[in-house]
Amino acid sequence: MHRPLTPKETLYAMRIVSLRTAVLRIALACWASVCAAQTGGAGLPPARLTIDPGTIVSPVSPMLYGLMTEEINHSYDGGLYAELLQNRTFRGSWEGVEHWDLVRHGDSEAAMEVDRGSGPSQALPYSLKLSVSASAPGSQAGLTNSGYWGVALKPHTKYRGSFYAKADDASVGPVTARLISDKTGAVLAETAVALHGGDWSQYSFALTTGAIPLSTQNHMELTVAHPGTLRLQLVSLMQPTFHDRPNGNRPDLMERMAELHPTFLRLPGGNYLEGDTLRDWYNWKETIGPLVDRPGHQAPWSYWSTDGLGLLEFLEWCEDLKIEPVLAVYAGYSLRQQHVNPGKDLEPYVQSALDEVEYVTGDTSTKWGAERAKDGHPAPFPLHYIEIGNEDFFDRSGSYDARFAQFARALRKSYPQYKLIATTPVKESSADDQPDVLDDHYYKPWGDMLDFTHHYDDAPRTGPKIFIGEWATLSGTPTPNFGGALADAAWMTSMERNSDLIIMASYAPLLINVNGGQWGTNLIGYNGATSYGSPSYYAQALFAGHLGDGTPKATITGGGKRFYYSATVGSKDHVLHLKLVNASNEEQPLTIELQGAKGVHTAKAYTLHAATYEATNTINDPEFIHSTDSVIKVSGGSWKHAVPGLTIEVLDIPLD
Ligand code: AHR
């Protein structure tokens, strides 16, 4: 027990506390100045930002933020597309049939080989022949698939399996399908599929897990308990999909995309449209209809595309996210400097593009609209923009002017209502040959991206509009670090400011399976089981989620060299969306003058901050950097604010 202090002792104690506080304050101030000295800073010059929210000087495009993806980094196969088995069509290489192995329990005996002479369809005219010479109920033989870096399984989940099979004699069956833990050997789900003899037919089954841990370290087995011969093709195991779409997409990745508030999907994007050689172009007609009629094709980023996620699935993906497609049509140039000569040689490709637009937009009385209905989607899809090619500035033959013109004339004749996008400026020969929009791509290191943020400020407003169809700061692997997020945010302020000219933009690449990527910096990372958003992902979600429809008159004076802002006003909700990006590591003092606004407003603030440029999110630490919300008081007239170093702020300031 302590005795109570006398009044004198209390006074002394208070003095000691306040002395201690003063000493602490001085120490902190010294420490701060030492830090500032170490980082080379004497404080950033104050900035004065004057905004007149009542004077709108230019519009903000309603389609500014969108998505671009392609088959790179296992974006679709081994990513968004819900298939869990890898190499479901038994493509072979010198290493054998990749991702498939024989399984021989106990003393069972079996062999496997690719049978080029028998398959379930013209698109898949071959199969895997399993010859079982010894097998019994307790010691079965068959095949095992290791999935995409494991078969990711969740608890209490139903997986839909299917395969095409041809058994010389049905008595080789039934086929036992099992999901097995790699670590423990535990059977996590099991079912038997009875076979019938005769020709090729498709079999379906379901496997439902119980109270298992979420894990990627599993595999699937298909085995039989009797000797005999079994041919298999298109062996599939689908996880549950977004909106339960048959043959659809992985829910968590769809949700991550939805959180970016996109308005469009550029499809099929990037080099994936072109292929390495003319043989590998994105021939959309081979990506529609029953899966067994899709041969798949060699994608340019080193692996095979099943085309399970084909043209209709792209469009349904748009439908599920309530966004519209920006349709890219192959324009006769492939990456290894191969092109199709304009004129007669190009005609089949132009016809393919016309058919493709009809497949997307035609009603069911049209040939390709009817085909889409047959594929399960009678209603046409919305469309406003068609892009002709991808990065045709790489075509050293100089053939793009004529190729673009040939496509543009044909498309404009049949579909005058759509805007055409060129992938590089084209020489004018007639008004018809001029694009409505130009697609510019920018991949830049951190410093270069920051220095580039005024590129469009004085660009002419008389020519085509601009689509930034691919852009990214190259900082951080496999996903951007906080430095990347800061430069990306700075770049977004410039796109918003110039959105009378820049009507659409999409970051690229969007997706990466962290186990198998081909590109350094990508927005969203995942493995089979979980996904995460990079710091830049959160910055982009904030920017797109807080965007007005007009840019008000605004000026800034003073301020540090790496301080950026954008102001947009929502005409419906009367909110000023103010974005402040401090890419310096020192605090930015700021006076904000809101002209015409009176009284005190309560604004919502969304903040992203990190201690270093290198700080980042990872698959194992997915939320290390995330946005935090707070409320701040804002005075009409002028008010003082400070943006800490390495900080992105979005302020929603009500104007009423
Ligand atoms: O996004 C990666 C690649 O970059 C795209 O495929 C291509 O269009 C660009 O060169």
Side-chain angles (χ1 to χ4, degrees):
M1 281 274 285
H2 296 286
R3 74 172 167 79
L5 299 180
T6 64
K8 211 174 190 176
E9 284 170 337
T10 307
L11 195 67
Y12 278 142
M14 281 167 64
R15 277 196 192 142
I16 287 169
V17 169
S18 60
L19 192 68
R20 270 197 200 140
T21 312
V23 169
L24 198 65
R25 280 210 186 116
I26 292 166
L28 278 175
C30 291
W31 182 72
S33 67
V34 168
C35 286
Q38 275 175 356
T39 53
L44 295 179
R48 184 173 189 88
L49 177 58
T50 307
I51 303 170
D52 178 359
T55 306
I56 300 299
V57 292
S58 56
V60 173
S61 166
M63 285 181 70
L64 181 59
Y65 291 113
L67 305 172
M68 133 57 177
T69 69
E70 62 174 312
E71 188 54 288
I72 185 173
N73 304 322
H74 289 275
S75 291
Y76 307 152
D77 289 346
L80 183 62
Y81 183 49
E83 178 61 77
L84 288 171
L85 302 185
Q86 190 160 189
N87 193 15
R88 67 186 183 184
T89 55
F90 301 112
R91 292 185 52 76
S93 73
W94 64 270
E95 287 175 286
V97 184
E98 283 170 26
H99 309 288
W100 289 97
D101 261 318
L102 274 179
V103 50
R104 291 180 281 203
H105 290 294
D107 268 352
S108 63
E109 272 304 342
M112 69 180 197
E113 62 177 323
V114 173
D115 179 353
R116 300 259 156 233
S118 182
S121 65
Q122 258 185 15
L124 300 174
Y126 65 98
S127 54
L128 191 89
K129 182 174 158 193
L130 177 70
S131 307
V132 180
S133 48
S135 185
S139 51
Q140 302 204 0
L143 300 171
T144 173
N145 187 282
S146 52
Y148 291 94
W149 299 278
V151 175
L153 296 178
K154 298 188 171 120
H156 305 293
T157 303
K158 185 172 178 182
Y159 296 88
R160 291 177 193 283
S162 62
F163 55 81
Y164 283 80
K166 182 178 170 204
D168 288 350
D169 186 333
S171 65
V172 67
V175 171
T176 303
R178 284 195 191 100
L179 296 173
I180 299 170
S181 160
D182 296 348
K183 278 186 174 167
T184 66
V187 176
L188 308 175
E190 172 170 354
T191 193
V193 187
L195 293 174
H196 44 82
D199 210 355
W200 283 99
S201 43
Q202 190 182 21
Y203 298 84
S204 300
F205 60 92
L207 288 166
T208 305
T209 55
I212 61 165
L214 170 70
S215 166
T216 58
Q217 293 173 44
N218 310 293
H219 60 277
M220 190 177 92
E221 274 188 14
L222 292 178
T223 55
V224 291
H226 307 101
T229 305
L230 183 65
R231 287 176 179 77
L232 290 162
Q233 185 49 286
L234 194 51
V235 181
S236 166
L237 185 72
M238 298 293 280
Q239 60 185 303
T241 58
F242 189 71
H243 287 183
D244 288 329
R245 273 249 188 234
N247 197 42
N249 293 337
R250 193 174 134 172
D252 62 329
L253 294 179
M254 288 294 277
E255 280 153 18
R256 291 220 178 265
M257 286 189 269
E259 280 168 31
L260 286 170
H261 305 279
T263 56
F264 66 86
L265 171 65
R266 175 175 171 235
L267 67 92
N271 296 156
Y272 187 49
L273 177 73
E274 309 161 87
D276 276 337
T277 67
L278 292 182
R279 205 180 49 184
D280 307 320
W281 69 290
Y282 189 82
N283 186 356
W284 65 275
K285 288 180 186 168
E286 296 195 340
T287 74
I288 57 172
L291 296 180
V292 74
D293 295 330
R294 304 185 195 184
H297 76 285
Q298 181 62 47
W301 295 100
S302 79
Y303 58 94
W304 185 257
S305 167
T306 64
D307 290 327
L309 198 163
L311 180 60
L312 183 62
E313 287 77 18
F314 271 122
L315 298 167
E316 290 176 336
W317 163 6
C318 292
E319 189 168 77
D320 282 347
L321 291 186
K322 300 187 176 54
I323 61 180
E324 69 173 66
V326 169
L327 184 68
V329 297
Y330 177 69
Y333 170 71
S334 293
L335 290 161
R336 290 191 194 152
Q337 291 302 321
Q338 298 181 354
H339 76 275
V340 181
N341 284 324
K344 210 166 167 328
D345 291 353
L346 198 60
E347 271 168 22
Y349 298 92
V350 173
Q351 189 56 49
S352 167
L354 292 169
D355 294 346
E356 190 172 5
V357 176
E358 190 173 283
Y359 185 86
V360 176
T361 64
D363 64 37
T364 52
S365 67
T366 63
K367 177 175 174 218
W368 287 102
E371 195 68 29
R372 186 195 61 240
K374 204 170 95 200
D375 293 341
H377 202 288
F381 292 91
L383 186 72
H384 291 94
Y385 293 93
I386 301 171
E387 177 155 15
I388 298 172
N390 177 63
E391 295 191 337
D392 288 85
F393 46 82
F394 280 125
D395 174 11
R396 291 198 293 270
S397 75
S399 66
Y400 188 61
D401 290 343
R403 287 189 288 112
F404 179 86
Q406 195 171 336
F407 275 89
R409 282 176 203 158
L411 285 165
R412 288 223 158 94
K413 192 162 163 226
S414 301
Y415 300 104
Q417 67 273 40
Y418 301 137
K419 303 266 185 237
L420 300 184
I421 305 172
T423 71
T424 189
V426 290
K427 280 197 209 95
E428 192 155 358
S429 49
S430 84
D432 245 12
D433 305 346
Q434 276 306 295
D436 303 291
V437 183
L438 263 184
D439 181 0
D440 286 346
H441 293 179
Y442 300 112
Y443 294 101
K444 289 183 179 294
W446 185 81
D448 292 3
M449 190 58 112
L450 291 179
D451 294 346
F452 196 62
T453 49
H454 292 288
H455 180 74
Y456 286 100
D457 290 354
D458 300 317
R461 266 40 182 181
T462 47
K465 297 285 186 193
I466 300 294
F467 174 27
I468 314 281
E470 296 178 28
W471 68 269
T473 305
L474 304 175
S475 181
T477 296
T479 49
N481 55 25
F482 199 72
L486 285 164
D488 286 344
W491 170 246
M492 285 189 285
T493 65
S494 84
M495 292 201 292
E496 293 191 358
R497 185 171 62 244
N498 288 291
S499 182
D500 58 319
L501 176 64
I502 301 172
I503 55 165
M504 295 184 287
S506 38
Y507 184 98
L510 188 77
L511 300 170
I512 185 165
N513 187 319
V514 296
N515 293 301
Q518 290 78 42
W519 192 269
T521 310
N522 313 275
L523 200 64
I524 299 171
Y526 49 87
N527 60 20
T530 60
S531 61
Y532 71 97
S534 60
S536 182
Y537 167 86
Y538 288 110
Q540 292 183 40
L542 280 179
F543 271 57
H546 301 264
L547 184 66
D549 51 17
T551 301
K553 191 172 163 204
T555 50
I556 191 161
T557 53
K561 290 194 190 109
R562 282 177 282 286
F563 182 62
Y564 308 84
Y565 81 97
S566 127
T568 62
V569 171
S571 61
K572 290 203 185 91
D573 56 5
H574 296 147
V575 172
L576 168 68
H577 303 283
L578 182 59
K579 283 128 185 183
L580 304 170
V581 180
N582 185 1
S584 154
N585 56 349
E586 291 178 45
E587 181 180 277
Q588 175 61 64
L590 184 65
T591 302
I592 300 177
E593 190 183 332
L594 276 190
Q595 292 181 335
K598 292 198 186 81
V600 176
H601 300 247
T602 303
K604 272 205 106 174
Y606 305 86
T607 305
L608 275 169
H609 169 79
T612 67
Y613 294 102
E614 290 74 17
T616 197
N617 293 340
T618 63
I619 194 86
N620 296 320
D621 198 353
E623 299 265 332
F624 181 68
I625 291 165
H626 59 273
S627 74
T628 52
D629 308 0
S630 59
V631 161
I632 58 166
K633 295 285 178 206
V634 168
S635 313
S638 82
W639 49 287
K640 297 252 184 249
H641 188 59
V643 185
L646 307 183
T647 298
I648 299 165
E649 270 184 7
V650 175
L651 306 182
D652 279 355
I653 304 171
L655 295 171
D656 295 330

